[in-house]
Amino acid sequence: MSFLKVPLFKRPSYRMIPIFKMKPICQTVPTFGNVTASYATHANFSHSISSSPSSIPTRIDDTSYRWRPMCLYFTQGKCTKMDDPTHLETFNHDCSRDLLMNVADFERKRPQDFDFFLVFDLEGKVEILEFPILIIDAQTLAVVDLFHRFVRPSAMSEQRINEYIENKYGKFGVDRVWHDTALPFNEVVQEFEAWLTHHHLWDKKHGGLLNRAAFVTCGNWDVKTQVPQQCQVSKIKLPPYFMEWINLKDVYQNFYKPRKEARGMRTMMEQLKIPMQGSHHLGIDDTKNIAKVLLRMLSDGAVIPITARRNPVSGNVNFLYKNRIR
């Protein structure tokens, strides 16, 4: 298996799980409010921002950096506009730039139970529509990689899918990107597991559990409810790595003990005075915003432990915090 390597942000490598070469299909897509950009797409599979944790330099704030929406073709390995200056000026192609830390943020950081945190926020209440995950290095607080897929429902008619996507993603201007790139959930899981294996975070031969890593979500719904339901709909077995997770809201509540209970991402960000960026309920933007809360908590000295475990036989979930968000 070969990997493309492109320099990125003074890191050792920028690797890609293979992209099958096909003739690009050009299109113009209206995206993100008043911005209109041209795209070209080609085949599926993953891009990844991979680096050796020990070699990632300490980062400092870049005051000249301007937030831009992510190119959602690029996040799925399908952008063919990397040589277009206008496109590069309009869209972000490096999600780590949105999560820069200051050197001073490392002073109170404490050892963690895990080497890596997998921050993610699913979208889709009927079936999963978006599956974005960021790897955060627990030691360096660096973004190691991004996995992002749009997911095509398997139990809906085409008409219902079109209505669902127009209602969900049309308001963000990314419905065309979704239609161009969405894959069935079982294929997304296969690519996700290949991505985890590439990062040495999972090995099916060793029981299928994560290796020194844990999922971080804003609530229990993603892993407790939606993933198992989607597995049933897609007729696949629930992967064993979804048996435990970290509900960041519970850790936040017990660490900061705020007077007002932080019941969601927005409340946590408001209390920490972290500006929210991007579109709320666009999964990739919410995942980055949740990662910002996680990074602040780590830099403030919080230890981030597992908060919930599922019994693999009964399916019952044991919540490990007495004081938790209901």
Side-chain angles (χ1 to χ4, degrees):
M1 182 178 290
S2 61
F3 299 92
L4 301 178
K5 296 182 178 181
V6 181
L8 174 68
F9 195 46
K10 297 183 180 179
R11 295 183 183 172
S13 63
Y14 187 95
R15 300 175 181 171
M16 301 177 75
I17 295 175
I19 294 178
F20 304 100
K21 295 182 178 179
M22 294 176 61
K23 186 176 180 181
I25 305 171
C26 295
Q27 60 213 354
T28 300
V29 185
T31 53
F32 302 101
N34 297 324
V35 176
T36 301
S38 296
Y39 291 90
T41 69
H42 43 98
N44 55 20
F45 229 114
S46 171
H47 92 282
S48 81
I49 310 166
S50 175
S51 53
S52 170
S54 62
S55 61
I56 297 175
T58 300
R59 297 163 297 162
I60 59 175
D61 289 323
D62 182 355
T63 56
S64 65
Y65 180 67
R66 174 178 58 85
W67 183 88
R68 292 166 293 169
M70 290 294 299
C71 172
L72 300 183
Y73 286 102
F74 176 80
T75 62
Q76 298 171 88
K78 298 182 179 184
C79 177
T80 59
K81 290 289 185 178
M82 296 300 291
D83 58 351
D84 183 338
T86 301
H87 174 76
L88 296 178
E89 175 63 23
T90 304
F91 293 96
N92 182 11
H93 295 76
D94 176 8
C95 67
S96 67
R97 299 299 300 276
D98 294 333
L99 298 165
L100 298 178
M101 302 291 291
N102 192 284
V103 175
D105 293 331
F106 291 77
E107 295 177 357
R108 290 178 289 178
K109 186 172 66 68
R110 298 173 63 188
Q112 300 294 322
D113 296 333
F114 301 97
D115 294 333
F116 300 97
F117 295 109
L118 306 183
V119 184
F120 84 130
D121 186 75
L122 300 176
E123 290 296 332
K125 293 184 178 180
V126 180
E127 290 192 51
I128 293 174
L129 300 177
E130 189 177 357
F131 193 97
I133 295 188
L134 277 170
I135 302 177
I136 302 293
D137 188 305
Q139 180 180 355
T140 66
L141 308 189
V143 175
V144 177
D145 200 357
L146 165 69
F147 180 90
H148 181 230
R149 291 292 180 274
F150 287 120
V151 185
R152 178 170 290 278
S154 57
M156 292 185 187
S157 67
E158 196 64 27
Q159 179 179 351
R160 179 70 182 99
I161 289 175
N162 290 338
E163 293 172 352
Y164 194 19
I165 297 307
E166 174 61 29
N167 180 61
K168 170 67 178 175
Y169 288 113
K171 59 187 176 183
F172 302 136
V174 299
D175 48 326
R176 178 61 186 274
V177 184
W178 188 95
H179 283 291
D180 286 344
T181 61
L183 299 173
F185 183 71
N186 62 328
E187 293 183 28
V188 171
V189 169
Q190 291 173 5
E191 295 189 4
F192 176 58
E193 291 180 350
W195 180 77
L196 287 174
T197 302
H198 171 62
H199 287 288
H200 308 289
L201 297 180
W202 177 81
D203 189 339
K204 190 174 184 179
K205 297 178 182 178
H206 296 156
L209 302 177
L210 294 179
N211 178 30
R212 299 293 299 163
F215 290 109
V216 177
T217 66
C218 185
N220 294 304
W221 176 84
D222 301 79
V223 185
K224 175 182 178 291
T225 303
Q226 188 64 356
V227 170
Q229 287 181 353
Q230 185 64 59
C231 287
Q232 286 185 333
V233 171
S234 299
K235 299 179 180 179
I236 64 174
K237 186 177 180 180
L238 177 66
Y241 46 78
F242 282 124
M243 295 300 165
E244 62 180 24
W245 62 93
I246 297 166
N247 177 359
L248 197 61
K249 292 192 294 186
D250 287 348
V251 185
Y252 180 97
Q253 186 69 25
N254 285 271
F255 179 68
Y256 291 112
K257 298 179 174 58
R259 292 183 180 179
K260 178 183 177 181
E261 193 175 70
R263 304 192 64 84
M265 178 190 75
R266 279 186 163 180
T267 305
M268 290 190 291
M269 297 186 78
E270 288 171 0
Q271 291 179 351
L272 295 175
K273 294 181 172 53
I274 300 173
M276 190 173 75
Q277 294 180 327
S279 300
H280 190 28
H281 296 308
L282 180 61
I284 190 169
D285 286 346
D286 283 351
T287 297
K288 289 193 293 181
N289 283 319
I290 294 168
K292 287 183 178 184
V293 176
L294 171 65
L295 290 171
R296 171 66 66 81
M297 292 178 66
L298 290 169
S299 68
D300 282 347
V303 175
I304 314 293
I306 292 294
T307 64
R309 286 194 174 94
R310 190 194 326 268
N311 185 305
V313 178
S314 67
N316 295 331
V317 174
N318 181 30
F319 299 104
L320 305 181
Y321 273 82
K322 290 184 179 180
N323 179 27
R324 64 186 185 90
I325 305 296
R326 304 290 176 174

